[in-house]
Amino acid sequence: MKIDIISILPEMFASVLSASIIGRACSSGVLDIQIHDLRNWTDDRHRTTDDYPFGGGPGMVMKPEPVFRALDEIADDGDASTVVIVSPQGTPLDQKLVKELSAKQHLVIVCGRYEGFDERIRSRADLEVSIGDYVLTGGELAAMVVVDSVSRLLPGVLGHEESALDESFSNGLLEYPQYTRPASFAGLDVPEVLLSGDHARIAAWRRAESIRRTAERRPDLLEDAELSESEREFARRIIDETE
Ligand code: SAM
């Protein structure tokens, strides 16, 4: 997958994109990430990317011209590129949207700064994405969240594809509790079933714990989760006990 990111602070990305799993995906060629300095598309001596808001008010607004020029150069006019604007006003990013984005060939992510975008910039976006109901100082961290969550779903990035299939949100549920060695630590024991070697029992325990945990922590997710009638009854019981 190719990802282009447009930002006025390109230096923010180096450590996140070069380390660990994403770094390896870039080195191996599964991911091609390019960071672009928006100031390269300005046309004045001060490389200005912001201006005062018409109508007054606090703060500055991102000028449309540099963003339009950058997109003219970077994004494909046809269907090959998906232009994503990161903004608190966008569609909330969840695992379903992450999965949809991971199927794209080419993402172009535009990071806002100041008080946000001149509204005309939105006309160039295929999608506006929010990473949560809070306001960041700029879109760079949000872009990194999008890149990280999308990249790990690409074939060959995690190395063991089933971990992305089994984890929280992938089946509409939170993940079951996980343990590693030692089997007993600080007076706390790993559940016996996980040491049993009985794969069917382990799978049944994990499924039940996944439903229990979702019912306790995020009952809102259960509505869309695929559950049998008895599993739904089990979830209802947990919710009643939790209330
Ligand atoms: N005044 C804008 C508003 O009320 O919608 C917020 C501007 S914010 C200070 C500057 C930039 O940070 C935004 O243009 C956006 O790119 C980014 N940003 C802030 N919060 C975000 C969030 N929750 N998700 C995605 N991007 C965010």
Side-chain angles (χ1 to χ4, degrees):
M1 171 186 264
K2 185 165 171 22
I3 304 179
D4 287 285
I5 300 174
I6 302 170
S7 159
I8 61 164
L9 292 171
E11 64 275 16
M12 280 184 71
F13 292 88
S15 62
V16 170
L17 300 183
S18 61
S20 188
I21 292 171
I22 306 297
R24 278 202 302 278
C26 292
S27 312
S28 71
V30 175
L31 260 179
D32 172 8
I33 304 180
Q34 305 292 330
I35 314 295
H36 304 273
D37 187 344
L38 180 64
R39 294 189 197 282
N40 291 339
W41 286 278
T42 54
D43 57 4
D44 65 316
R45 199 158 56 86
H46 301 292
R47 310 180 84 206
T48 310
T49 55
D50 61 332
D51 208 340
Y52 293 96
F54 276 123
M60 303 294 274
V61 173
M62 286 190 75
K63 287 164 66 62
E65 310 94 306
V67 178
F68 270 58
R69 282 186 212 118
L71 290 174
D72 285 345
E73 215 169 292
I74 294 168
D76 195 311
D77 268 348
D79 289 341
S81 305
T82 303
V83 176
V84 176
I85 280 181
V86 280
S87 144
Q89 302 178 23
T91 305
L93 186 69
D94 61 10
Q95 196 63 16
K96 185 166 168 275
L97 181 52
V98 167
K99 199 165 173 208
E100 277 170 36
L101 292 174
S102 73
K104 307 286 184 193
Q105 282 176 40
H106 180 205
L107 296 182
V108 182
I109 305 178
V110 186
C111 304
R113 276 271 148 187
Y114 320 113
E115 280 311 310
F117 301 104
D118 177 290
E119 191 62 22
R120 290 162 290 192
I121 293 173
R122 291 193 156 86
S123 70
R124 297 294 302 265
D126 295 302
L127 192 65
E128 193 166 328
V129 171
S130 164
I131 64 160
D133 291 343
Y134 42 81
V135 180
L136 303 164
T137 54
E140 287 73 16
L141 289 172
M144 288 184 236
V145 169
V146 172
V147 170
D148 189 287
S149 54
V150 166
S151 303
R152 61 196 296 286
L153 295 190
L154 302 178
V157 169
L158 286 185
H160 40 98
E161 260 49 283
E162 66 276 18
S163 47
L165 293 177
D166 214 18
E167 65 194 354
S168 297
F169 309 115
S170 54
N171 58 2
L173 298 170
L174 300 181
E175 193 184 52
Y176 46 79
Q178 294 270 27
Y179 296 87
T180 184
R181 290 184 292 182
S184 188
F185 175 70
L188 302 168
D189 294 334
V190 172
E192 175 278 327
V193 59
L194 296 178
L195 311 176
S196 68
D198 181 337
H199 297 298
R201 263 182 77 213
I202 292 171
W205 181 86
R206 285 180 165 166
R207 175 81 181 165
E209 289 306 308
S210 192
I211 295 168
R212 178 196 306 283
R213 182 155 280 195
T214 311
E216 284 170 353
R217 299 183 182 194
R218 292 291 306 276
D220 57 300
L221 295 176
L222 289 169
E223 205 172 308
D224 294 332
E226 278 188 29
L227 299 182
S228 68
E229 205 28 63
S230 61
E231 287 175 332
R232 217 161 263 292
E233 183 47 43
F234 172 59
R236 269 195 292 271
R237 250 194 0 259
I238 304 291
I239 292 171
D240 288 344
E241 284 167 19
T242 312
E243 278 170 357

